[in-house]
Amino acid sequence: MDEQEQQKLKNYVLWLLGRQEYSKKMLIQKLKAKGADEAFIEKLLAWCESLGYIDESRYCESFLRAQINKGLGLKRVLSDAGNKGVDRARLMQLVETQEIDWFELAQQAYLRKYATTPEKLDYKEKAKRIRYMMYRGFSYEEIDFAMQAATMGE
């Protein structure tokens, strides 16, 4: 790689990081897709870390915040974390310190999707709603809480 290509990749990484937080794993994938070699990627990411442009704990926090704002449950957050290169241990530690009420989140997600809930759901409709909520990453207890709260009109 010549210096001009390296400068282009450096500018590309800075442009990406100027828009949002990225994990190292995601930046490595993006740089490899642009044709960067391993040695240059390591050097560039180390330089970004030394200047504070890449911070895994900051990325972890923004990732968790974004997932919660999407109305996703813990199971889905953990699943998506692996794909995005988030350190699972750091994420679990952050979840514990944030004191997130997953039951409340499940209720909000349920009400957002199913604003009107009849008093009695037939089996097919109930199963459909449970599948939707499980896909969103909520446990059965959280889903049950949300569905009961919705039928009570809370």
Side-chain angles (χ1 to χ4, degrees):
M1 292 181 71
D2 65 358
E3 277 191 42
Q4 188 177 8
E5 287 178 41
Q6 289 181 349
Q7 188 60 45
K8 276 185 180 179
L9 288 172
K10 185 178 179 180
N11 290 341
Y12 173 65
V13 167
L14 293 175
W15 176 75
L16 286 173
L17 291 170
R19 295 175 54 226
Q20 72 181 48
E21 294 285 340
Y22 282 91
S23 67
K24 273 180 142 179
K25 179 182 177 182
M26 289 181 66
L27 286 173
I28 289 170
Q29 288 173 349
K30 289 185 175 291
L31 287 169
K32 282 183 179 177
K34 291 278 186 184
D37 58 24
E38 297 280 334
F40 177 71
I41 291 173
E42 283 184 40
K43 191 174 111 181
L44 179 59
L45 295 183
W47 176 77
C48 287
E49 270 187 314
S50 71
L51 294 174
Y53 297 152
I54 300 174
D55 184 346
E56 292 293 321
S57 59
R58 193 173 60 213
Y59 174 71
C60 190
E61 287 176 30
S62 72
F63 172 79
L64 180 61
R65 201 173 325 107
Q67 297 297 85
I68 288 172
N69 289 340
K70 288 179 188 175
L72 301 179
L74 181 61
K75 291 177 183 178
R76 177 76 182 270
V77 170
L78 293 174
S79 172
D80 290 354
N83 301 337
K84 297 283 188 178
V86 177
D87 180 20
R88 204 177 176 99
R90 184 177 284 162
L91 183 62
M92 282 307 296
Q93 186 180 19
L94 185 63
V95 165
E96 289 169 11
T97 60
Q98 295 286 319
E99 298 178 12
I100 301 159
D101 186 355
W102 297 106
F103 287 92
E104 177 70 26
L105 252 145
Q107 185 179 356
Q108 289 171 4
Y110 184 82
L111 291 174
R112 195 175 311 131
K113 176 73 173 176
Y114 303 108
T116 57
T117 301
E119 194 65 37
K120 239 358 187 170
L121 292 172
D122 66 334
Y123 178 77
K124 269 178 89 172
E125 181 63 23
K126 185 176 181 179
K128 178 180 153 188
R129 291 178 181 209
I130 290 172
R131 272 193 312 276
Y132 170 78
M133 293 297 287
M134 288 193 123
Y135 169 74
R136 307 276 304 167
F138 295 103
S139 71
Y140 188 76
E141 292 81 24
E142 294 160 350
I143 296 167
D144 192 44
F145 172 81
M147 290 177 82
Q148 285 182 8
T151 56
M152 285 190 256
E154 289 182 2

